[in-house]
Amino acid sequence: MTRTPPRALSIAGSDPSGGAGLQADVAVFTRLGAHPMAVPTALTVQNSVGVAEVMPLPAAFVTRQLAHLLADMPPAATKTGMLGTDEVVAALADLLDGRPLPNLVIDPIRHASSGAELLTGPGHRLLAERLLPHAALITPNRDEAALLWGQPVTNGADAARCAQALRESGARAVLITGGHLPDKNHVVDTLADAEGITTWRHPRHMGAVPHGTGCALTAAITAHLAHGLPLRESIRRALGYVGRAIRAAHAPGRGRPYLGDGREFPQE
Ligand code: PLP
């Protein structure tokens, strides 16, 4: 038999247009050499213009999918994306309290860029309270970070203070993605981990940010963690992956652009 690729799991919502959510995560996992596993938490009606409708799945069905996988093929690394409801967050937290998962990356997403709610307000508060302590890394954008912190994040100094504060409240490491910070020419991503603060600065991509960029970043970090790379190296490589995927963006529909293949040397 050939070598088994490391298993990476996404627990997230379905995006039938293939730009974000589970479908995007599976594409990134596959491109980065991980075996892709996908537990849906919700279905959406959506295309490149936006999310028209959301149908959350029953929480017990979400955790039964997960428990069945864990009994047979536990993942080396896992990410969570859209969780939908506070019931799903609570059921997931109950499961994790009894069976912690290694290399758990949590994207504390609340709204899609198009405005649709991907997790309820009570769900977001419960996520902060019960899921963050299980996370090896959380990856809020500026708005999500401010919501979790309870204070505005308007510049790099705020991002560093916020990342440290969120780390103290439970997550082992916090990456605040800076795509939304008001620096005209650069994007700054801020990591707080056991070694302190690290920042990455990249030239800002001009034009619309492609759909699913946050999903792809956490999926790429998760794939690298599944391969056994340390957290910072996984983040560094994932930021490179997403930067290249943004430069390779294309427009499959009438709405926002979609990410392309972010590998350095895409295969035939
Ligand atoms: N749909 C699903 C199922 C998602 O998980 C996400 C992001 O997590 C989105 C839509 C929104 O993606 P974006 O805000 O990049 O358009």
Side-chain angles (χ1 to χ4, degrees):
M1 264 203 290
T2 48
R3 196 182 71 84
T4 308
R7 290 182 291 275
L9 169 65
S10 171
I11 303 170
S14 160
D15 170 7
S17 77
L22 282 182
Q23 288 81 350
D25 293 344
V26 165
V28 171
F29 289 165
T30 306
R31 284 175 181 144
L32 295 177
H35 171 71
M37 303 199 295
V39 167
T41 55
L43 307 179
T44 68
V45 173
Q46 94 174 271
N47 60 20
S48 69
V49 179
V51 178
E53 214 180 306
V54 168
M55 181 188 283
L57 293 180
F61 188 72
V62 172
T63 47
R64 279 209 301 283
Q65 294 180 71
L66 183 53
H68 219 59
L69 289 178
L70 293 178
D72 177 44
M73 42 198 299
T78 299
K79 66 156 278 188
T80 66
M82 170 186 186
L83 293 176
T85 62
D86 51 338
E87 287 90 352
V88 168
V89 172
L92 193 55
D94 287 344
L95 188 147
L96 290 171
D97 288 347
R99 165 92 195 240
L101 289 178
N103 297 315
L104 177 63
V105 178
I106 293 181
D107 185 0
I109 182 152
R110 171 122 162 75
H111 289 105
S113 313
S114 59
E117 187 177 76
L118 301 182
L119 177 60
T120 59
H124 209 253
R125 283 188 288 281
L126 200 60
L127 177 147
E129 199 182 299
R130 294 205 51 204
L131 286 187
L132 296 199
H134 289 290
L137 175 71
I138 63 168
T139 60
N141 63 27
R142 181 190 66 163
D143 293 343
E144 291 153 1
L147 204 59
L148 293 170
W149 191 30
Q151 295 181 44
V153 176
T154 52
N155 55 40
D158 287 348
R161 282 195 305 129
C162 174
Q164 290 283 22
L166 292 180
R167 211 175 93 72
E168 277 151 29
S169 75
R172 265 164 283 152
V174 178
L175 177 69
I176 299 182
T177 55
H180 301 69
L181 290 176
D183 170 337
K184 275 202 217 56
N185 301 315
H186 290 89
V187 174
V188 178
D189 300 305
T190 303
L191 172 73
D193 64 6
E195 289 164 51
I197 295 286
T198 308
T199 55
W200 288 271
R201 230 168 105 88
H202 334 264
R204 181 181 288 280
H205 167 75
M206 297 304 164
V209 175
H211 174 52
T213 302
C215 302
L217 177 66
T218 47
I221 295 170
T222 304
H224 290 308
L225 290 172
H227 281 290
L229 290 174
L231 183 67
R232 277 172 190 224
E233 181 59 14
S234 296
I235 294 172
R236 191 185 70 76
R237 290 192 193 195
L239 290 170
Y241 178 92
V242 171
R244 290 186 296 275
I246 289 175
R247 289 192 289 279
H250 57 105
R254 287 177 297 110
R256 289 167 65 204
Y258 279 38
L259 294 170
D261 187 339
R263 285 176 297 181
E264 238 161 323
F265 305 107
Q267 263 89 77
E268 287 282 275

